Amino acid sequence: MGKYTAQRIHTHMQNAKHVLLVPHKNPDGDALGALIAFTHYLDKQDIRYSTYCSTDISSVFSAILPKDLEWSTKDIWKDDSVDTVVVFDTGDLSHAQITSFVKNKPYTIINIDHHATNTDYGMYNLVFNSLSSTSEILYHYFIANTAEINADMATSLLTGIISDTGNFTNSATSKEAIFIGSKLIELGANFTAIQQMLFKRLPIDALKLWGIIFSRLQKHKKLQLVHTFFSHKDMNDLSVTMDDLDGITNFLNAIHEGHAGMILKEQADGKVKGSFRTTRDDVNVAKLAQHFGGGGHIKAAGFTVDGPIEAAQKFVLKELELLCPKGLIMKEEMA
Ligand SMILES: [Mn+2]
């Protein structure tokens, strides 16, 4: 791994006055797991830090959030003592919704990420898209700097690896990810608590909505795309939250038919988020998501388009037909 970059970041931290830690918007287990592990690392060295997230944090993760952690408001960006911004699990700054805050400011930006579409926006870029998760990168970072990984840090990092590998089942699962997972358990990570927190928490009404969403699955024959959707009304009707639908996207990987899966999710603000998943090596869904201004990984990517849901579905399918006249396999363009 980039031992040299990891060491330079560590050296920079020793001289930082006030570090601001930022995950991507609507942070997942990986973005939060990495950020929380980093707070423990800074705590141990008495380095001053604050945390900022542009959106709410899902209550799912309260088990790994330190009790005394307070998230700063936007005003933190007016605090002149902040000299360093560390951004976690974020392919480009707009995904963390901080572009305008860092513009023309003398911050040292540190970019720790594993997205294939990462734009290297930092002064230091610890970016490895072959690794399962940002949390896996941070494990290497701590090892490279001989920083102790305590049990709480191990639980945070393992949360990230388990989130991004779909509990060690999806294509991000590598022998390294499994090996580091076992190392983290050895260091005291609470595997059972993570399983409980991430996978054993759904109310009945949430699963009822999962059922409705699955009943809408269709296969687009020409594209070989299996797709479904849900509206904001569906969620309201059953009082289901977005957190309760969190794992449904990864469940698309369970489908054997077609070349990729897509789910369209209508948000409270009327926008529609789309997510792609594929398990095939000859389909690059990051490319498809980029067409709609989104991004992500080769096998898991997302984007946002205007709603309402019916219009979004028509628009997205039409665009995909134009983009991929021969279907989703675009071999000649793939690196
Ligand atoms: Mn990640």
mmCIF file of all heavy atoms in Angstrom, residues 191-237:
data_model
loop_
_atom_site.group_PDB
_atom_site.id
_atom_site.type_symbol
_atom_site.label_atom_id
_atom_site.label_comp_id
_atom_site.label_asym_id
_atom_site.label_seq_id
_atom_site.Cartn_x
_atom_site.Cartn_y
_atom_site.Cartn_z
ATOM 1 N N PHE A 191 -17.717 -8.793 16.451
ATOM 2 C CA PHE A 191 -18.364 -9.292 15.233
ATOM 3 C C PHE A 191 -19.871 -9.458 15.432
ATOM 4 O O PHE A 191 -20.669 -9.056 14.582
ATOM 5 C CB PHE A 191 -17.710 -10.630 14.853
ATOM 6 C CG PHE A 191 -18.207 -11.220 13.560
ATOM 7 C CD1 PHE A 191 -17.815 -10.695 12.342
ATOM 8 C CD2 PHE A 191 -19.070 -12.315 13.572
ATOM 9 C CE1 PHE A 191 -18.270 -11.251 11.144
ATOM 10 C CE2 PHE A 191 -19.528 -12.869 12.377
ATOM 11 C CZ PHE A 191 -19.122 -12.330 11.177
ATOM 12 N N THR A 192 -20.267 -10.025 16.555
ATOM 13 C CA THR A 192 -21.697 -10.274 16.807
ATOM 14 C C THR A 192 -22.481 -8.970 16.861
ATOM 15 O O THR A 192 -23.574 -8.863 16.295
ATOM 16 C CB THR A 192 -21.876 -11.028 18.147
ATOM 17 O OG1 THR A 192 -20.894 -12.059 18.199
ATOM 18 C CG2 THR A 192 -23.252 -11.621 18.277
ATOM 19 N N ALA A 193 -21.912 -7.961 17.540
ATOM 20 C CA ALA A 193 -22.609 -6.673 17.649
ATOM 21 C C ALA A 193 -22.776 -6.027 16.268
ATOM 22 O O ALA A 193 -23.794 -5.398 15.989
ATOM 23 C CB ALA A 193 -21.839 -5.743 18.585
ATOM 24 N N ILE A 194 -21.777 -6.209 15.405
ATOM 25 C CA ILE A 194 -21.861 -5.627 14.052
ATOM 26 C C ILE A 194 -22.964 -6.325 13.251
ATOM 27 O O ILE A 194 -23.765 -5.677 12.570
ATOM 28 C CB ILE A 194 -20.505 -5.736 13.317
ATOM 29 C CG1 ILE A 194 -19.443 -4.914 14.053
ATOM 30 C CG2 ILE A 194 -20.642 -5.260 11.871
ATOM 31 C CD1 ILE A 194 -18.018 -5.162 13.566
ATOM 32 N N GLN A 195 -23.030 -7.650 13.344
ATOM 33 C CA GLN A 195 -24.078 -8.405 12.644
ATOM 34 C C GLN A 195 -25.460 -7.941 13.095
ATOM 35 O O GLN A 195 -26.363 -7.730 12.284
ATOM 36 C CB GLN A 195 -23.929 -9.910 12.923
ATOM 37 C CG GLN A 195 -22.664 -10.528 12.363
ATOM 38 C CD GLN A 195 -22.588 -10.459 10.855
ATOM 39 O OE1 GLN A 195 -23.584 -10.658 10.156
ATOM 40 N NE2 GLN A 195 -21.433 -10.147 10.331
ATOM 41 N N GLN A 196 -25.594 -7.778 14.418
ATOM 42 C CA GLN A 196 -26.862 -7.330 15.001
ATOM 43 C C GLN A 196 -27.224 -5.940 14.476
ATOM 44 O O GLN A 196 -28.338 -5.687 14.039
ATOM 45 C CB GLN A 196 -26.672 -7.277 16.529
ATOM 46 C CG GLN A 196 -27.930 -7.471 17.330
ATOM 47 C CD GLN A 196 -28.443 -8.895 17.259
ATOM 48 O OE1 GLN A 196 -27.660 -9.828 17.254
ATOM 49 N NE2 GLN A 196 -29.752 -9.050 17.179
ATOM 50 N N MET A 197 -26.234 -5.050 14.502
ATOM 51 C CA MET A 197 -26.450 -3.659 14.113
ATOM 52 C C MET A 197 -26.835 -3.530 12.636
ATOM 53 O O MET A 197 -27.717 -2.757 12.279
ATOM 54 C CB MET A 197 -25.157 -2.881 14.397
ATOM 55 C CG MET A 197 -25.115 -1.476 13.874
ATOM 56 S SD MET A 197 -23.606 -0.639 14.399
ATOM 57 C CE MET A 197 -22.396 -1.304 13.263
ATOM 58 N N LEU A 198 -26.170 -4.306 11.775
ATOM 59 C CA LEU A 198 -26.356 -4.101 10.336
ATOM 60 C C LEU A 198 -27.440 -4.984 9.714
ATOM 61 O O LEU A 198 -28.117 -4.570 8.778
ATOM 62 C CB LEU A 198 -25.042 -4.360 9.590
ATOM 63 C CG LEU A 198 -23.874 -3.423 9.885
ATOM 64 C CD1 LEU A 198 -22.653 -3.837 9.081
ATOM 65 C CD2 LEU A 198 -24.232 -1.973 9.590
ATOM 66 N N PHE A 199 -27.603 -6.194 10.227
ATOM 67 C CA PHE A 199 -28.427 -7.154 9.469
ATOM 68 C C PHE A 199 -29.622 -7.729 10.226
ATOM 69 O O PHE A 199 -30.395 -8.482 9.662
ATOM 70 C CB PHE A 199 -27.553 -8.309 8.974
ATOM 71 C CG PHE A 199 -26.358 -7.832 8.193
ATOM 72 C CD1 PHE A 199 -25.079 -8.003 8.676
ATOM 73 C CD2 PHE A 199 -26.534 -7.181 6.982
ATOM 74 C CE1 PHE A 199 -23.985 -7.543 7.963
ATOM 75 C CE2 PHE A 199 -25.440 -6.723 6.259
ATOM 76 C CZ PHE A 199 -24.153 -6.899 6.753
ATOM 77 N N LYS A 200 -29.750 -7.413 11.523
ATOM 78 C CA LYS A 200 -30.846 -8.042 12.276
ATOM 79 C C LYS A 200 -31.648 -6.971 12.991
ATOM 80 O O LYS A 200 -31.724 -6.940 14.207
ATOM 81 C CB LYS A 200 -30.270 -9.062 13.262
ATOM 82 C CG LYS A 200 -29.612 -10.208 12.520
ATOM 83 C CD LYS A 200 -28.789 -11.105 13.381
ATOM 84 C CE LYS A 200 -28.108 -12.154 12.512
ATOM 85 N NZ LYS A 200 -27.090 -12.898 13.239
ATOM 86 N N ARG A 201 -32.213 -6.077 12.223
ATOM 87 C CA ARG A 201 -32.779 -4.893 12.857
ATOM 88 C C ARG A 201 -34.085 -4.424 12.211
ATOM 89 O O ARG A 201 -34.583 -3.351 12.529
ATOM 90 C CB ARG A 201 -31.760 -3.750 12.775
ATOM 91 C CG ARG A 201 -31.373 -3.453 11.350
ATOM 92 C CD ARG A 201 -30.408 -2.313 11.198
ATOM 93 N NE ARG A 201 -30.032 -2.161 9.802
ATOM 94 C CZ ARG A 201 -30.731 -1.501 8.892
ATOM 95 N NH1 ARG A 201 -31.857 -0.910 9.220
ATOM 96 N NH2 ARG A 201 -30.322 -1.439 7.645
ATOM 97 N N LEU A 202 -34.636 -5.183 11.250
ATOM 98 C CA LEU A 202 -35.761 -4.648 10.482
ATOM 99 C C LEU A 202 -37.117 -4.902 11.129
ATOM 100 O O LEU A 202 -37.409 -6.006 11.571
ATOM 101 C CB LEU A 202 -35.762 -5.242 9.072
ATOM 102 C CG LEU A 202 -34.622 -4.794 8.165
ATOM 103 C CD1 LEU A 202 -34.781 -5.425 6.787
ATOM 104 C CD2 LEU A 202 -34.569 -3.280 8.041
ATOM 105 N N PRO A 203 -37.987 -3.864 11.145
ATOM 106 C CA PRO A 203 -39.365 -4.076 11.572
ATOM 107 C C PRO A 203 -40.173 -4.806 10.482
ATOM 108 O O PRO A 203 -39.779 -4.811 9.312
ATOM 109 C CB PRO A 203 -39.895 -2.662 11.781
ATOM 110 C CG PRO A 203 -38.949 -1.738 11.117
ATOM 111 C CD PRO A 203 -37.674 -2.468 10.850
ATOM 112 N N ILE A 204 -41.296 -5.390 10.873
ATOM 113 C CA ILE A 204 -42.131 -6.169 9.935
ATOM 114 C C ILE A 204 -42.548 -5.327 8.727
ATOM 115 O O ILE A 204 -42.473 -5.775 7.581
ATOM 116 C CB ILE A 204 -43.381 -6.710 10.666
ATOM 117 C CG1 ILE A 204 -42.955 -7.752 11.716
ATOM 118 C CG2 ILE A 204 -44.377 -7.331 9.681
ATOM 119 C CD1 ILE A 204 -44.077 -8.186 12.643
ATOM 120 N N ASP A 205 -42.969 -4.078 8.982
ATOM 121 C CA ASP A 205 -43.443 -3.249 7.865
ATOM 122 C C ASP A 205 -42.350 -2.980 6.835
ATOM 123 O O ASP A 205 -42.634 -2.820 5.646
ATOM 124 C CB ASP A 205 -43.999 -1.915 8.389
ATOM 125 C CG ASP A 205 -45.409 -2.108 8.949
ATOM 126 O OD1 ASP A 205 -46.025 -3.144 8.635
ATOM 127 O OD2 ASP A 205 -45.874 -1.225 9.697
ATOM 128 N N ALA A 206 -41.117 -2.945 7.299
ATOM 129 C CA ALA A 206 -40.011 -2.744 6.355
ATOM 130 C C ALA A 206 -39.921 -3.946 5.415
ATOM 131 O O ALA A 206 -39.815 -3.790 4.199
ATOM 132 C CB ALA A 206 -38.704 -2.559 7.113
ATOM 133 N N LEU A 207 -40.002 -5.137 5.979
ATOM 134 C CA LEU A 207 -39.920 -6.332 5.129
ATOM 135 C C LEU A 207 -41.126 -6.435 4.203
ATOM 136 O O LEU A 207 -41.021 -6.928 3.081
ATOM 137 C CB LEU A 207 -39.782 -7.592 5.986
ATOM 138 C CG LEU A 207 -38.372 -7.837 6.517
ATOM 139 C CD1 LEU A 207 -38.322 -9.103 7.354
ATOM 140 C CD2 LEU A 207 -37.347 -7.945 5.388
ATOM 141 N N LYS A 208 -42.277 -5.938 4.659
ATOM 142 C CA LYS A 208 -43.455 -5.917 3.764
ATOM 143 C C LYS A 208 -43.172 -5.050 2.539
ATOM 144 O O LYS A 208 -43.516 -5.408 1.420
ATOM 145 C CB LYS A 208 -44.672 -5.376 4.510
ATOM 146 C CG LYS A 208 -45.291 -6.396 5.442
ATOM 147 C CD LYS A 208 -46.602 -5.864 5.998
ATOM 148 C CE LYS A 208 -47.200 -6.884 6.956
ATOM 149 N NZ LYS A 208 -48.283 -6.295 7.770
ATOM 150 N N LEU A 209 -42.518 -3.898 2.785
ATOM 151 C CA LEU A 209 -42.192 -3.035 1.642
ATOM 152 C C LEU A 209 -41.118 -3.685 0.756
ATOM 153 O O LEU A 209 -41.196 -3.587 -0.468
ATOM 154 C CB LEU A 209 -41.760 -1.640 2.120
ATOM 155 C CG LEU A 209 -41.455 -0.633 1.003
ATOM 156 C CD1 LEU A 209 -42.588 -0.568 -0.030
ATOM 157 C CD2 LEU A 209 -41.216 0.757 1.584
ATOM 158 N N TRP A 210 -40.148 -4.375 1.373
ATOM 159 C CA TRP A 210 -39.177 -5.123 0.563
ATOM 160 C C TRP A 210 -39.948 -6.051 -0.376
ATOM 161 O O TRP A 210 -39.631 -6.165 -1.555
ATOM 162 C CB TRP A 210 -38.250 -5.966 1.454
ATOM 163 C CG TRP A 210 -37.134 -5.243 2.136
ATOM 164 C CD1 TRP A 210 -37.234 -4.133 2.912
ATOM 165 C CD2 TRP A 210 -35.741 -5.603 2.124
ATOM 166 N NE1 TRP A 210 -35.989 -3.783 3.384
ATOM 167 C CE2 TRP A 210 -35.053 -4.661 2.929
ATOM 168 C CE3 TRP A 210 -35.018 -6.630 1.520
ATOM 169 C CZ2 TRP A 210 -33.676 -4.715 3.138
ATOM 170 C CZ3 TRP A 210 -33.638 -6.680 1.742
ATOM 171 C CH2 TRP A 210 -32.984 -5.728 2.532
ATOM 172 N N GLY A 211 -40.994 -6.703 0.164
ATOM 173 C CA GLY A 211 -41.805 -7.634 -0.641
ATOM 174 C C GLY A 211 -42.462 -6.930 -1.820
ATOM 175 O O GLY A 211 -42.456 -7.425 -2.943
ATOM 176 N N ILE A 212 -43.018 -5.741 -1.548
ATOM 177 C CA ILE A 212 -43.675 -4.978 -2.620
ATOM 178 C C ILE A 212 -42.643 -4.606 -3.689
ATOM 179 O O ILE A 212 -42.890 -4.738 -4.889
ATOM 180 C CB ILE A 212 -44.337 -3.708 -2.029
ATOM 181 C CG1 ILE A 212 -45.515 -4.115 -1.138
ATOM 182 C CG2 ILE A 212 -44.782 -2.762 -3.136
ATOM 183 C CD1 ILE A 212 -46.089 -2.970 -0.297
ATOM 184 N N ILE A 213 -41.477 -4.173 -3.250
ATOM 185 C CA ILE A 213 -40.431 -3.753 -4.198
ATOM 186 C C ILE A 213 -39.978 -4.958 -5.050
ATOM 187 O O ILE A 213 -39.814 -4.848 -6.266
ATOM 188 C CB ILE A 213 -39.240 -3.111 -3.445
ATOM 189 C CG1 ILE A 213 -39.708 -1.830 -2.748
ATOM 190 C CG2 ILE A 213 -38.085 -2.821 -4.401
ATOM 191 C CD1 ILE A 213 -38.741 -1.281 -1.707
ATOM 192 N N PHE A 214 -39.822 -6.104 -4.411
ATOM 193 C CA PHE A 214 -39.434 -7.305 -5.174
ATOM 194 C C PHE A 214 -40.531 -7.719 -6.152
ATOM 195 O O PHE A 214 -40.252 -8.214 -7.241
ATOM 196 C CB PHE A 214 -39.090 -8.462 -4.228
ATOM 197 C CG PHE A 214 -37.798 -8.264 -3.472
ATOM 198 C CD1 PHE A 214 -37.653 -8.739 -2.182
ATOM 199 C CD2 PHE A 214 -36.730 -7.593 -4.046
ATOM 200 C CE1 PHE A 214 -36.463 -8.555 -1.481
ATOM 201 C CE2 PHE A 214 -35.534 -7.404 -3.361
ATOM 202 C CZ PHE A 214 -35.407 -7.884 -2.066
ATOM 203 N N SER A 215 -41.804 -7.506 -5.749
ATOM 204 C CA SER A 215 -42.907 -7.910 -6.642
ATOM 205 C C SER A 215 -42.930 -7.055 -7.907
ATOM 206 O O SER A 215 -43.560 -7.408 -8.892
ATOM 207 C CB SER A 215 -44.242 -7.830 -5.900
ATOM 208 O OG SER A 215 -44.614 -6.479 -5.739
ATOM 209 N N ARG A 216 -42.228 -5.917 -7.884
ATOM 210 C CA ARG A 216 -42.189 -5.036 -9.067
ATOM 211 C C ARG A 216 -40.979 -5.309 -9.969
ATOM 212 O O ARG A 216 -40.757 -4.573 -10.921
ATOM 213 C CB ARG A 216 -42.110 -3.581 -8.612
ATOM 214 C CG ARG A 216 -43.374 -3.081 -7.976
ATOM 215 C CD ARG A 216 -43.128 -1.673 -7.450
ATOM 216 N NE ARG A 216 -44.294 -1.193 -6.747
ATOM 217 C CZ ARG A 216 -44.254 -0.261 -5.791
ATOM 218 N NH1 ARG A 216 -43.105 0.293 -5.453
ATOM 219 N NH2 ARG A 216 -45.350 0.131 -5.201
ATOM 220 N N LEU A 217 -40.191 -6.296 -9.651
ATOM 221 C CA LEU A 217 -39.006 -6.577 -10.479
ATOM 222 C C LEU A 217 -39.399 -6.904 -11.912
ATOM 223 O O LEU A 217 -40.349 -7.658 -12.148
ATOM 224 C CB LEU A 217 -38.227 -7.758 -9.892
ATOM 225 C CG LEU A 217 -37.302 -7.448 -8.708
ATOM 226 C CD1 LEU A 217 -36.870 -8.735 -8.030
ATOM 227 C CD2 LEU A 217 -36.091 -6.637 -9.158
ATOM 228 N N GLN A 218 -38.672 -6.317 -12.846
ATOM 229 C CA GLN A 218 -38.890 -6.621 -14.260
ATOM 230 C C GLN A 218 -37.538 -6.771 -14.932
ATOM 231 O O GLN A 218 -36.566 -6.182 -14.475
ATOM 232 C CB GLN A 218 -39.538 -5.443 -15.000
ATOM 233 C CG GLN A 218 -40.719 -4.814 -14.409
ATOM 234 C CD GLN A 218 -41.201 -3.721 -15.360
ATOM 235 O OE1 GLN A 218 -41.114 -3.862 -16.581
ATOM 236 N NE2 GLN A 218 -41.695 -2.633 -14.805
ATOM 237 N N LYS A 219 -37.546 -7.488 -16.051
ATOM 238 C CA LYS A 219 -36.299 -7.577 -16.816
ATOM 239 C C LYS A 219 -36.464 -6.842 -18.139
ATOM 240 O O LYS A 219 -37.366 -7.147 -18.916
ATOM 241 C CB LYS A 219 -35.903 -9.033 -17.053
ATOM 242 C CG LYS A 219 -34.564 -9.140 -17.787
ATOM 243 C CD LYS A 219 -33.906 -10.495 -17.641
ATOM 244 C CE LYS A 219 -34.563 -11.496 -18.570
ATOM 245 N NZ LYS A 219 -33.917 -12.817 -18.470
ATOM 246 N N HIS A 220 -35.597 -5.874 -18.389
ATOM 247 C CA HIS A 220 -35.560 -5.180 -19.680
ATOM 248 C C HIS A 220 -34.773 -6.089 -20.620
ATOM 249 O O HIS A 220 -33.566 -6.281 -20.445
ATOM 250 C CB HIS A 220 -34.863 -3.832 -19.491
ATOM 251 C CG HIS A 220 -34.915 -2.945 -20.705
ATOM 252 N ND1 HIS A 220 -34.323 -3.280 -21.897
ATOM 253 C CD2 HIS A 220 -35.484 -1.739 -20.894
ATOM 254 C CE1 HIS A 220 -34.529 -2.307 -22.773
ATOM 255 N NE2 HIS A 220 -35.227 -1.362 -22.190
ATOM 256 N N LYS A 221 -35.488 -6.642 -21.623
ATOM 257 C CA LYS A 221 -34.891 -7.709 -22.436
ATOM 258 C C LYS A 221 -33.668 -7.243 -23.204
ATOM 259 O O LYS A 221 -32.634 -7.913 -23.226
ATOM 260 C CB LYS A 221 -35.938 -8.258 -23.424
ATOM 261 C CG LYS A 221 -36.979 -9.109 -22.716
ATOM 262 C CD LYS A 221 -37.127 -10.485 -23.375
ATOM 263 C CE LYS A 221 -37.978 -11.403 -22.499
ATOM 264 N NZ LYS A 221 -39.374 -10.886 -22.343
ATOM 265 N N LYS A 222 -33.788 -6.070 -23.861
ATOM 266 C CA LYS A 222 -32.676 -5.607 -24.702
ATOM 267 C C LYS A 222 -31.432 -5.288 -23.881
ATOM 268 O O LYS A 222 -30.317 -5.629 -24.240
ATOM 269 C CB LYS A 222 -33.108 -4.363 -25.496
ATOM 270 C CG LYS A 222 -33.120 -4.628 -26.996
ATOM 271 C CD LYS A 222 -33.770 -3.508 -27.770
ATOM 272 C CE LYS A 222 -32.814 -2.377 -28.078
ATOM 273 N NZ LYS A 222 -33.531 -1.186 -28.601
ATOM 274 N N LEU A 223 -31.660 -4.618 -22.760
ATOM 275 C CA LEU A 223 -30.522 -4.238 -21.913
ATOM 276 C C LEU A 223 -30.057 -5.382 -21.012
ATOM 277 O O LEU A 223 -28.959 -5.338 -20.466
ATOM 278 C CB LEU A 223 -30.903 -3.048 -21.029
ATOM 279 C CG LEU A 223 -31.103 -1.695 -21.697
ATOM 280 C CD1 LEU A 223 -31.759 -0.712 -20.735
ATOM 281 C CD2 LEU A 223 -29.769 -1.130 -22.188
ATOM 282 N N GLN A 224 -30.933 -6.374 -20.827
ATOM 283 C CA GLN A 224 -30.663 -7.429 -19.830
ATOM 284 C C GLN A 224 -30.434 -6.784 -18.451
ATOM 285 O O GLN A 224 -29.520 -7.144 -17.711
ATOM 286 C CB GLN A 224 -29.446 -8.283 -20.241
ATOM 287 C CG GLN A 224 -29.745 -9.216 -21.391
ATOM 288 C CD GLN A 224 -30.725 -10.324 -21.001
ATOM 289 O OE1 GLN A 224 -30.515 -11.074 -20.064
ATOM 290 N NE2 GLN A 224 -31.838 -10.408 -21.729
ATOM 291 N N LEU A 225 -31.316 -5.796 -18.171
ATOM 292 C CA LEU A 225 -31.254 -5.097 -16.887
ATOM 293 C C LEU A 225 -32.485 -5.466 -16.068
ATOM 294 O O LEU A 225 -33.613 -5.319 -16.528
ATOM 295 C CB LEU A 225 -31.227 -3.577 -17.127
ATOM 296 C CG LEU A 225 -31.240 -2.715 -15.862
ATOM 297 C CD1 LEU A 225 -29.883 -2.764 -15.158
ATOM 298 C CD2 LEU A 225 -31.577 -1.255 -16.223
ATOM 299 N N VAL A 226 -32.246 -5.974 -14.865
ATOM 300 C CA VAL A 226 -33.355 -6.290 -13.959
ATOM 301 C C VAL A 226 -33.554 -5.075 -13.066
ATOM 302 O O VAL A 226 -32.603 -4.596 -12.441
ATOM 303 C CB VAL A 226 -33.022 -7.536 -13.107
ATOM 304 C CG1 VAL A 226 -34.152 -7.829 -12.132
ATOM 305 C CG2 VAL A 226 -32.767 -8.744 -14.014
ATOM 306 N N HIS A 227 -34.785 -4.540 -13.058
ATOM 307 C CA HIS A 227 -34.960 -3.286 -12.312
ATOM 308 C C HIS A 227 -36.269 -3.246 -11.528
ATOM 309 O O HIS A 227 -37.215 -3.966 -11.830
ATOM 310 C CB HIS A 227 -34.867 -2.090 -13.268
ATOM 311 C CG HIS A 227 -35.887 -2.098 -14.358
ATOM 312 N ND1 HIS A 227 -37.060 -1.393 -14.287
ATOM 313 C CD2 HIS A 227 -35.898 -2.746 -15.549
ATOM 314 C CE1 HIS A 227 -37.747 -1.598 -15.414
ATOM 315 N NE2 HIS A 227 -37.069 -2.413 -16.181
ATOM 316 N N THR A 228 -36.264 -2.386 -10.521
ATOM 317 C CA THR A 228 -37.461 -2.151 -9.715
ATOM 318 C C THR A 228 -37.379 -0.754 -9.116
ATOM 319 O O THR A 228 -36.428 -0.002 -9.414
ATOM 320 C CB THR A 228 -37.631 -3.235 -8.629
ATOM 321 O OG1 THR A 228 -38.890 -3.038 -7.967
ATOM 322 C CG2 THR A 228 -36.512 -3.180 -7.585
ATOM 323 N N PHE A 229 -38.361 -0.385 -8.310
ATOM 324 C CA PHE A 229 -38.404 0.983 -7.781
ATOM 325 C C PHE A 229 -39.270 1.031 -6.525
ATOM 326 O O PHE A 229 -40.030 0.110 -6.241
ATOM 327 C CB PHE A 229 -39.012 1.937 -8.824
ATOM 328 C CG PHE A 229 -40.476 1.665 -9.085
ATOM 329 C CD1 PHE A 229 -41.468 2.344 -8.381
ATOM 330 C CD2 PHE A 229 -40.869 0.707 -10.008
ATOM 331 C CE1 PHE A 229 -42.817 2.075 -8.594
ATOM 332 C CE2 PHE A 229 -42.210 0.432 -10.232
ATOM 333 C CZ PHE A 229 -43.184 1.113 -9.530
ATOM 334 N N PHE A 230 -39.138 2.144 -5.792
ATOM 335 C CA PHE A 230 -40.157 2.483 -4.795
ATOM 336 C C PHE A 230 -40.325 3.990 -4.739
ATOM 337 O O PHE A 230 -39.407 4.742 -5.081
ATOM 338 C CB PHE A 230 -39.848 1.880 -3.419
ATOM 339 C CG PHE A 230 -38.561 2.340 -2.794
ATOM 340 C CD1 PHE A 230 -38.494 3.526 -2.072
ATOM 341 C CD2 PHE A 230 -37.406 1.572 -2.913
ATOM 342 C CE1 PHE A 230 -37.309 3.933 -1.482
ATOM 343 C CE2 PHE A 230 -36.213 1.976 -2.324
ATOM 344 C CZ PHE A 230 -36.163 3.164 -1.611
ATOM 345 N N SER A 231 -41.531 4.408 -4.341
ATOM 346 C CA SER A 231 -41.827 5.834 -4.280
ATOM 347 C C SER A 231 -41.791 6.284 -2.827
ATOM 348 O O SER A 231 -41.776 5.465 -1.902
ATOM 349 C CB SER A 231 -43.210 6.107 -4.863
ATOM 350 O OG SER A 231 -44.183 5.525 -4.012
ATOM 351 N N HIS A 232 -41.813 7.591 -2.667
ATOM 352 C CA HIS A 232 -41.849 8.117 -1.308
ATOM 353 C C HIS A 232 -43.175 7.750 -0.641
ATOM 354 O O HIS A 232 -43.235 7.484 0.560
ATOM 355 C CB HIS A 232 -41.637 9.626 -1.329
ATOM 356 C CG HIS A 232 -41.336 10.162 0.023
ATOM 357 N ND1 HIS A 232 -40.220 9.782 0.733
ATOM 358 C CD2 HIS A 232 -42.033 10.997 0.839
ATOM 359 C CE1 HIS A 232 -40.240 10.374 1.910
ATOM 360 N NE2 HIS A 232 -41.313 11.107 2.004
ATOM 361 N N LYS A 233 -44.229 7.674 -1.450
ATOM 362 C CA LYS A 233 -45.555 7.298 -0.913
ATOM 363 C C LYS A 233 -45.533 5.874 -0.368
ATOM 364 O O LYS A 233 -46.113 5.594 0.687
ATOM 365 C CB LYS A 233 -46.608 7.432 -2.024
ATOM 366 C CG LYS A 233 -48.020 7.144 -1.551
ATOM 367 C CD LYS A 233 -49.039 7.319 -2.671
ATOM 368 C CE LYS A 233 -50.446 6.983 -2.191
ATOM 369 N NZ LYS A 233 -50.627 5.604 -1.748
ATOM 370 N N ASP A 234 -44.849 4.966 -1.080
ATOM 371 C CA ASP A 234 -44.726 3.580 -0.582
ATOM 372 C C ASP A 234 -44.178 3.574 0.842
ATOM 373 O O ASP A 234 -44.631 2.813 1.702
ATOM 374 C CB ASP A 234 -43.745 2.765 -1.444
ATOM 375 C CG ASP A 234 -44.273 2.510 -2.845
ATOM 376 O OD1 ASP A 234 -45.503 2.409 -3.003
ATOM 377 O OD2 ASP A 234 -43.442 2.405 -3.771
ATOM 378 N N MET A 235 -43.182 4.428 1.062
ATOM 379 C CA MET A 235 -42.541 4.467 2.382
ATOM 380 C C MET A 235 -43.493 5.040 3.421
ATOM 381 O O MET A 235 -43.631 4.497 4.518
ATOM 382 C CB MET A 235 -41.270 5.316 2.329
ATOM 383 C CG MET A 235 -40.180 4.681 1.486
ATOM 384 S SD MET A 235 -38.760 5.765 1.318
ATOM 385 C CE MET A 235 -38.281 5.941 3.021
ATOM 386 N N ASN A 236 -44.175 6.121 3.044
ATOM 387 C CA ASN A 236 -45.121 6.745 3.975
ATOM 388 C C ASN A 236 -46.258 5.808 4.342
ATOM 389 O O ASN A 236 -46.669 5.738 5.498
ATOM 390 C CB ASN A 236 -45.699 8.028 3.361
ATOM 391 C CG ASN A 236 -44.701 9.168 3.453
ATOM 392 O OD1 ASN A 236 -43.744 9.097 4.229
ATOM 393 N ND2 ASN A 236 -44.915 10.194 2.656
ATOM 394 N N ASP A 237 -46.764 5.070 3.343
ATOM 395 C CA ASP A 237 -47.907 4.182 3.583
ATOM 396 C C ASP A 237 -47.606 3.168 4.679
ATOM 397 O O ASP A 237 -48.494 2.762 5.424
ATOM 398 C CB ASP A 237 -48.302 3.447 2.293
ATOM 399 C CG ASP A 237 -48.980 4.379 1.295
ATOM 400 O OD1 ASP A 237 -49.309 5.519 1.691
ATOM 401 O OD2 ASP A 237 -49.166 3.977 0.125
#
